[in-house]
Amino acid sequence: MAGSLVTRGRSLLQRRDPTTALVDRVRALREAADACEGRVSPEAVDEAYRVGNQVDQRMALSGGATVVALAGATGSGKSSTFNALTGAELATVGVRRPTTSVSMAATWGPDAGEELLDWLQVRRRHVVETGSLTDAVALDGLVLLDLPDHDSTAAEHRTEVDRLVALVDVLVWVVDPQKYADAALHDRYLRPLAGHAAVMLVVLNQVDTLTSDARAACLRDLRRLLDAEGLERVEVLGVSAATGEGLDVLLRRLAHVVAGKRAAAERLAADVGRATDRLASASGTEPAPELSRRTVSTLDAQLGEAAGVPVVTRAVDQAWRLRGGLATGWPVLAWVARFKPDPLRRLRLGGGAKEIASPTGTSRTSLPARSGVQQARVDSALRTLADEASTGLTRGWSDAVRATTRSSSAGLSDALDTAVATTDLDLDRHRGWWGAVRVLQWVLFAGVLVGLGWLGAAFLLAYLQLPPLPKVTWWGFPAPTVLVVGGVVAGLLVAGLARIGVVVGAHRRARLARQRLLAAVSRVSAQQVVAPVRTELERYDAARSAILRARG
């Protein structure tokens, strides 16, 4: 016995309060609505906010009260059932035309607060006293409403029904043998409220007018209709407001609902579920697509082409060769080569920070404008990225991803130009050996000048018939000739050998420059295109996660 009590106590402690779960679901629903705003239909987002506000308001008002509404068509006996349950002639009964123009409330016990009825905007109220049919049943906390006829010809009656159907805790649909299959009831209310089966009850009134076989057939057919509409959990009762048959069973059902004090939470949970499903249908719950590295790499490659990376790479190669030739070539030829324009300086590149325009400049380089073919390839790569990022998304999210891609591409040209202009091409290092070769070339050139001077002096002395200079020979040749010819040949040979090193270095510098330029272009692509798209996908994923949590 003691062990059984302990087990029951533990189960009660571990049982989660339904209102706690409801609060968590409402919070998740609001998060989903915030994320979906501007991406899905405004109606679905507004409905999510409305349900969230409704939950807050309902849970703050008379938490111990349970609002049960009797709803039905004209002539179904709804008002008669209301009078029979309350034990008083409160509602006017009509058979052929609607007589309930405004809702009426009957309350049991002190828990049925006035604030709750004020929130429901129900003005006609009646407190049920002792001595009625309900004395034998504990109904403290019950608020019973008699709604206008849902098929009334008066539009304001139908509006009142729709408003309260969305607010009450439990719905009791009163039907009669003639119109229990009415399409207006099933299509407008029962089928759309299939998710609220736990807080609905269908009562077949006027069973006293049927034979036992006809009664069984009506109840069986009504059960079949409800099952076909996904309302298998909805209980069906047969009653007679005129004779009181079955009303005791109905009262016990209501008493059970009131005693459980879970109807409000269950109704609100069903509302949250319905709003969540609507938002999920509009937003989607498929996992967010991933951007493949291949797609991003293709975009980077096309942006690099459009940004002039190949042009700059060739210019780096040519500039390194030109500068290397000027530094290591034979001085005479190097002097002639100085008249050639520097490929990088012509593009306003590679000249250091002083030659980079200010950040407010609209153009930082003199690179040629991108061609139509290059622009078309960039546009194609952007479309491919947008298509991949929007695969499987609903229309609103897909449009948001595409709009993000288009807007982020607006300033790409200036950003790419800036990235190219500010990239360190590394042309001021790795050329220390040029200085040694330059010194050697000038030494050799000085030897040539000395030899030419020596030969010139010898010619002048001979012309003036003056004593000649002493004859000096090296390796069997006159020293001046060795200086001139040897200096020229050696200078050209050194220049040729140095040229090989310059060309190899040019290839390396061009390859490194291309890598750095593509890295700079990739950073621009990541910051201006890929990051905004991924942010949009993260927002979708946040909405999806919140929707799944709101479903419970």
Side-chain angles (χ1 to χ4, degrees):
M1 181 67 177
S4 175
L5 290 175
V6 170
T7 302
R8 290 180 60 188
R10 286 178 179 174
S11 64
L12 289 173
L13 289 174
Q14 293 173 354
R15 185 180 301 169
R16 192 177 185 188
D17 185 353
T19 59
T20 302
L22 182 60
V23 169
D24 293 339
R25 292 180 63 190
V26 170
R27 184 184 299 112
L29 179 61
R30 285 199 174 103
E31 291 176 6
D34 290 340
C36 289
E37 196 160 12
R39 274 74 179 170
V40 302
S41 65
E43 293 79 7
V45 175
D46 292 343
E47 177 67 8
Y49 285 133
R50 186 196 67 78
V51 169
N53 293 333
Q54 178 177 317
V55 171
D56 292 343
Q57 294 169 5
R58 176 63 183 91
M59 298 305 293
L61 295 171
S62 298
T66 301
V67 182
V68 178
L70 297 180
T74 304
S76 63
K78 167 178 54 64
S79 296
S80 299
T81 304
F82 180 80
N83 290 337
L85 292 175
T86 58
E89 293 294 325
L90 302 177
T92 304
V93 178
V95 178
R96 297 186 178 277
R97 61 184 182 86
T99 56
T100 307
S101 58
V102 294
S103 300
M104 174 182 290
T107 62
W108 281 259
D111 287 339
E114 294 293 318
E115 290 184 357
L116 179 57
L117 291 174
D118 290 340
W119 177 65
L120 293 172
Q121 299 179 26
V122 176
R123 302 289 177 254
R124 298 179 62 191
R125 306 169 187 180
H126 173 75
V127 178
V128 178
E129 299 177 355
T130 58
S132 67
L133 177 65
T134 62
D135 282 353
V137 184
L139 293 176
D140 281 358
L142 172 63
V143 177
L144 186 65
L145 302 184
D146 180 25
L147 304 187
D149 300 330
H150 68 76
D151 61 349
S152 172
T153 56
E156 61 271 18
H157 294 181
R158 298 193 300 273
T159 300
E160 176 75 355
V161 172
D162 292 343
R163 184 182 68 82
L164 287 173
V165 163
L167 296 177
V168 299
D169 302 328
V170 179
L171 286 164
V172 177
W173 297 98
V174 180
V175 298
D176 62 86
Q178 288 75 36
K179 295 193 295 184
Y180 67 84
D182 186 17
L185 171 64
H186 289 263
D187 294 343
R188 187 173 181 182
Y189 296 105
L190 293 181
R191 190 177 294 112
L193 290 172
H196 295 67
V199 291
M200 284 204 301
L201 188 68
V202 175
V203 172
L204 178 64
N205 192 21
Q206 303 174 14
V207 295
D208 59 302
T209 63
L210 302 174
T211 64
S212 58
D213 291 340
R215 177 188 304 185
C218 279
L219 290 172
R220 191 164 51 249
D221 192 46
L222 179 56
R223 177 78 272 167
R224 178 188 61 80
L225 289 174
L226 295 176
D227 291 347
E229 293 168 343
L231 295 166
E232 298 89 350
R233 296 174 57 193
V234 174
E235 187 176 3
V236 178
L237 298 178
V239 303
S240 171
T243 65
E245 180 183 354
L247 291 181
D248 56 337
V249 178
L250 176 58
L251 282 171
R252 284 197 296 271
R253 295 291 186 275
L254 296 181
H256 178 73
V257 170
V258 172
K261 297 186 182 299
R262 297 171 60 93
E266 289 178 351
R267 166 60 200 259
L268 294 173
D271 288 341
V272 171
R274 186 180 183 186
T276 301
D277 289 342
R278 184 176 182 182
L279 196 61
S281 177
S283 177
T285 56
E286 293 296 322
E290 293 286 342
L291 289 177
S292 66
R293 296 182 61 181
R294 179 179 179 181
T295 299
V296 176
S297 298
T298 300
L299 175 62
D300 292 347
Q302 297 304 330
L303 289 176
E305 185 80 20
V309 170
V311 175
V312 177
T313 301
R314 287 193 298 271
V316 168
D317 183 277
Q318 295 168 0
W320 187 267
R321 295 186 186 209
L322 176 62
R323 297 175 188 182
L326 294 176
T328 64
W330 193 49
V332 175
L333 298 180
W335 179 79
V336 174
R338 289 184 183 277
F339 293 100
K340 292 183 179 180
D342 187 289
L344 280 178
R345 295 185 186 279
R346 188 168 52 189
L347 298 175
R348 298 179 65 190
L349 293 170
K354 293 182 179 180
E355 293 192 12
I356 298 176
S358 66
T360 57
T362 57
S363 178
R364 294 176 176 271
T365 69
S366 296
L367 286 167
R370 66 179 65 174
S371 66
V373 173
Q374 291 174 335
Q375 184 62 53
R377 289 175 177 173
V378 170
D379 292 342
S380 176
L382 288 171
R383 284 194 300 271
T384 300
L385 183 139
D387 290 342
E388 185 174 280
S390 58
T391 301
L393 300 183
T394 55
R395 179 66 179 272
W397 285 106
S398 177
D399 290 345
V401 169
R402 295 179 189 280
T404 299
T405 306
R406 287 193 300 270
S407 62
S408 62
S409 64
L412 270 179
S413 295
D414 290 342
L416 291 173
D417 199 58
T418 300
V420 170
T422 55
T423 298
D424 181 10
L425 300 177
D426 196 25
L427 297 181
D428 296 329
R429 295 184 295 274
H430 311 289
R431 56 185 189 181
W433 63 275
W434 289 5
V437 174
R438 182 184 293 110
V439 170
L440 178 59
Q441 286 285 28
W442 279 106
V443 169
L444 293 174
F445 187 67
V448 172
L449 293 179
V450 170
L452 289 175
W454 195 338
L455 290 174
F459 176 78
L460 181 61
L461 291 175
Y463 179 77
L464 297 176
Q465 297 182 354
L466 294 175
L469 295 173
K471 184 178 291 186
V472 180
T473 61
W474 292 341
W475 303 289
F477 297 98
T481 303
V482 172
L483 288 174
V484 173
V485 176
V488 171
V489 172
L492 294 176
L493 181 60
V494 170
L497 294 175
R499 185 66 177 175
I500 296 175
V502 169
V503 170
V504 172
H507 289 323
R508 290 178 179 175
R509 293 304 99 202
R511 184 169 60 252
L512 178 61
R514 182 176 184 276
Q515 292 173 355
R516 293 188 175 187
L517 288 168
L518 290 179
V521 169
S522 180
R523 286 192 294 271
V524 171
S525 171
Q527 293 171 2
Q528 292 206 202
V529 180
V530 178
V533 169
R534 283 183 171 150
T535 298
E536 194 66 32
L537 293 179
E538 289 171 0
R539 178 169 179 166
Y540 166 79
D541 200 53
R544 172 180 173 270
S545 176
I547 287 173
L548 295 179
R549 285 187 285 113
R551 280 179 166 173

